[in-house]
Amino acid sequence: MAAPTLRIEAERPDRLHVVLDRPGVRNAIDAAMVDELHVVCAQLEAVPRILILSGAGGVFASGADIAELRDRRREDALAGINSRLFGRIAALPMPVIAAIDGWALGGGAELAYAADFRIASTTARIGNPETSLGILAAAGASWRLAELVGEPVAKEILLAGRVLNAEEALALRLVTEVHEPDQLDAAANALADRIAKQDPHAVQATKRVFHASRADHPAVDEQAQAVLFESPAKFALMDAFLARRKKK
């Protein structure tokens, strides 16, 4: 499924590793990349798998493509070009891992915020410089970032141009792991391995319930559990657990 702006690093039954591959412009997110990521989403909605996202050339994504952004007008803003894509990525059935190497700025940072997990290299730099360009971070940062790092730090990033390094991002729990750049892909796959060891239907249900609105709880939890309580996997996994315990 190679595409002009994306590269498939690895494809396995339980995961898909997609690399943003526009190194000449630091993997800036343009309309073609948006379209190609929608194709990836359609595939993962049809056949749920873990998604790993990373960037080529030591950069995750430097932001939206300014050459395109310069010419966008009111109608483009209202179309929610990036926000709809990132919302779709956030809603994928299986977890999404953003492996952040180098710069993740603007739309690149917002793409990472939409992931379920963010891990980083020691070179990671994460921020939202949109206000320095006369616009705002309108593809999720204005609300996701506060949920991730808290309001005071989010305002520093969004209103005062603060850029987090890897150590700061780890301390704030915006990322959960930091690795040397040459170990980042292996770390992303190790995390995917841990996810893949879980029952995929239980993982999907848990992700869906986790992101449900507060008003939907506890009914949404109970409904999801009711389905899982009848699943063959539940009986097989619990029987195996009981058999192992019996042997001890």
Side-chain angles (χ1 to χ4, degrees), residues 5 11 17 64 67 81 132 146 163 178 183 190-191 204 212 223 238 241:
T5 73
E11 186 167 6
H17 183 174
I81 295 168
S132 71
V163 175
V178 173
Q183 296 298 311
L191 176 54
Q204 291 175 52
Q223 291 162 5
M238 291 190 178
F241 174 86

Side-chain angles (χ1 to χ4, degrees), residues 9-225:
E9 182 69 16
E11 186 167 6
R12 291 165 49 177
D14 62 3
R15 77 196 63 172
L16 181 65
H17 183 174
V18 174
V19 179
L20 312 182
D21 194 17
R22 301 184 72 212
V25 288
R26 295 186 175 183
N27 304 325
I29 300 170
D30 66 353
M33 185 181 286
V34 168
D35 290 344
E36 289 153 19
L37 285 169
H38 274 298
V39 172
V40 170
C41 287
Q43 292 179 343
L44 296 178
E45 289 160 354
V47 182
R49 287 183 285 173
I50 300 160
L51 173 62
I52 299 172
L53 289 170
S54 64
V59 175
F60 182 71
S62 60
D65 192 309
I66 302 300
E68 284 190 355
L69 203 57
R70 165 63 179 78
D71 294 329
R72 287 182 182 170
R73 305 301 293 266
R74 177 180 185 276
E75 293 76 14
D76 299 303
L78 295 175
I81 295 168
N82 284 359
S83 62
R84 282 166 173 70
L85 170 64
F86 300 163
R88 192 174 183 184
I89 289 170
L92 285 171
M94 289 293 285
V96 178
I97 301 167
I100 304 168
D101 192 18
W103 295 105
L105 297 175
E110 291 181 298
L111 172 57
Y113 304 155
D116 298 288
F117 300 91
R118 283 160 298 282
I119 65 173
S121 79
T122 53
T123 69
R125 299 293 184 270
I126 305 170
N128 288 93
E130 281 88 346
T131 53
S132 71
L133 295 169
I135 59 174
L136 62 85
S142 60
W143 52 277
R144 282 197 180 101
L145 190 53
E147 294 175 352
L148 292 168
V149 301
E151 182 179 322
V153 175
K155 283 182 175 176
E156 276 196 86
I157 293 167
L158 294 169
L159 304 179
R162 180 178 177 183
V163 175
L164 302 178
N165 62 30
E167 183 179 339
E168 292 168 327
L170 181 64
L172 290 164
R173 309 307 291 165
L174 179 60
V175 303
T176 54
E177 304 174 22
V178 173
H179 301 272
E180 292 300 323
D182 62 354
Q183 296 298 311
L184 189 59
D185 282 358
N189 277 291
L191 176 54
D193 288 341
R194 298 201 298 274
I195 298 167
K197 287 180 181 178
Q198 316 306 311
D199 173 56
H201 297 294
V203 169
Q204 291 175 52
T206 301
K207 178 175 175 176
R208 188 170 60 252
V209 168
F210 186 94
H211 289 291
S213 69
R214 180 65 182 86
D216 290 335
H217 297 287
V220 67
D221 309 65
E222 294 160 356
Q223 291 162 5
Q225 191 76 299

